[in-house]
């Protein structure tokens, strides 16, 4: 009951704070925000923070959050990047640090505005070729994986300013 109250309070305060802050809620599934699609804040909410839960996937309805620019999914249980997240056309900052991701879907090329991607502390043994198709990428953090080689194709990322591979 306490978690439900906290969840409802976050949703009540989301429009005022410009963020839906659901960090450390103990969630095992993506929250049912879709029940709030008719609310004006649902479409323009810029930040969704779901850090430190146990979420493994994202529902297709997430693409309806068209105003989303920052999505924090660190410290969850994702084994791969959910395909539908790649279709968030205004997303600029995606954080998936400390999950269990080993591969990326081919749909990462659909990112139109992504400038910052955090993939540190996952299970990558190589830099996914698919990343080289995100032309807007300026910062790529893949620290603490098991990467031993940087592919030549990384030079396709002409806008890349920060490329971090420490602890690999």
């Amino acid at each position: 009951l306490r978690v439900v109250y906290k969840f409802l309070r976050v949703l009540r305060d989301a429009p005022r704070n410009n963020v839906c802050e659901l960090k450390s809620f103990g969630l095992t599934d993506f929250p049912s925000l879709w029940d709030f699609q008719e609310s004006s804040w649902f479409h323009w909410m810029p930040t969704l923070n779901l850090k430190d839960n146990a979420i493994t996937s994202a529902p297709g309805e997430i693409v309806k959050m068209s105003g989303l620019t920052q999505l924090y999914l660190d410290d969850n249980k994702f084994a791969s990047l959910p395909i539908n997240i790649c279709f968030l056309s205004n997303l600029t900052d995606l954080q998936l640090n400390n999950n269990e991701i080993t591969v990326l879907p081919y749909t990462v090329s659909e990112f139109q505005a992504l400038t910052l991607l955090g993939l540190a502390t996952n299970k990558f043994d190589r830099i996914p070729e698919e990343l080289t198709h995100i032309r807007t990428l300026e910062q790529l953090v893949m620290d603490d994986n098991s990467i031993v080689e940087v592919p030549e194709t990384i030079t396709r990322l002409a806008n890349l300013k920060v490329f971090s591979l420490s602890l690999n």
Side-chain angles (χ1 to χ4, degrees), residues 68-148:
L68 206 56
T69 59
Q70 298 173 311
L71 182 56
Y72 301 108
L73 299 172
D74 307 88
D75 305 304
N76 277 287
K77 303 284 183 205
F78 289 96
S80 65
L81 171 65
I83 290 173
N84 42 12
I85 289 175
C86 300
F87 296 97
L88 290 167
S89 60
N90 292 313
L91 195 65
T92 59
D93 182 355
L94 176 59
Q95 297 299 318
L96 283 155
N97 301 301
N98 200 25
N99 278 281
E100 300 169 1
I101 301 171
T102 58
V103 296
L104 295 177
Y106 68 93
T107 52
V108 297
S109 62
E110 297 296 326
F111 282 121
Q112 298 173 14
L114 194 68
T115 58
L116 175 57
L117 179 58
L119 294 169
T121 317
N122 275 286
K123 308 274 186 213
F124 291 101
D125 60 3
R126 64 178 186 81
I127 296 172
E129 177 73 24
E130 296 83 2
L131 286 176
T132 64
H133 300 288
I134 308 174
R135 303 292 184 201
T136 55
L137 203 57
E138 294 177 5
Q139 297 180 51
L140 175 59
V141 179
M142 295 189 75
D143 299 338
D144 196 20
N145 279 283
S146 298
I147 298 167
V148 294

Side-chain angles (χ1 to χ4, degrees), residues 8-69:
L8 291 174
R9 191 176 68 218
V10 165
L11 294 179
R12 180 199 69 206
D13 295 343
R16 181 181 37 177
N17 299 335
N18 283 340
V19 63
C20 191
E21 184 77 50
L22 298 171
K23 179 181 176 184
S24 303
F25 264 69
L27 301 172
T28 56
D29 293 309
F30 224 81
S32 295
L33 298 173
W34 329 121
D35 297 336
F36 299 91
Q37 293 182 60
E38 303 306 317
S39 299
S40 60
W41 67 265
F42 181 85
H43 299 283
W44 60 259
M45 181 61 55
T47 305
L48 178 57
N49 185 349
L50 291 164
K51 288 182 183 179
D52 192 26
N53 285 288
I55 300 169
T56 59
S57 64
E61 291 88 353
I62 195 168
V63 298
K64 295 178 183 174
M65 295 187 79
S66 55
L68 206 56
T69 59

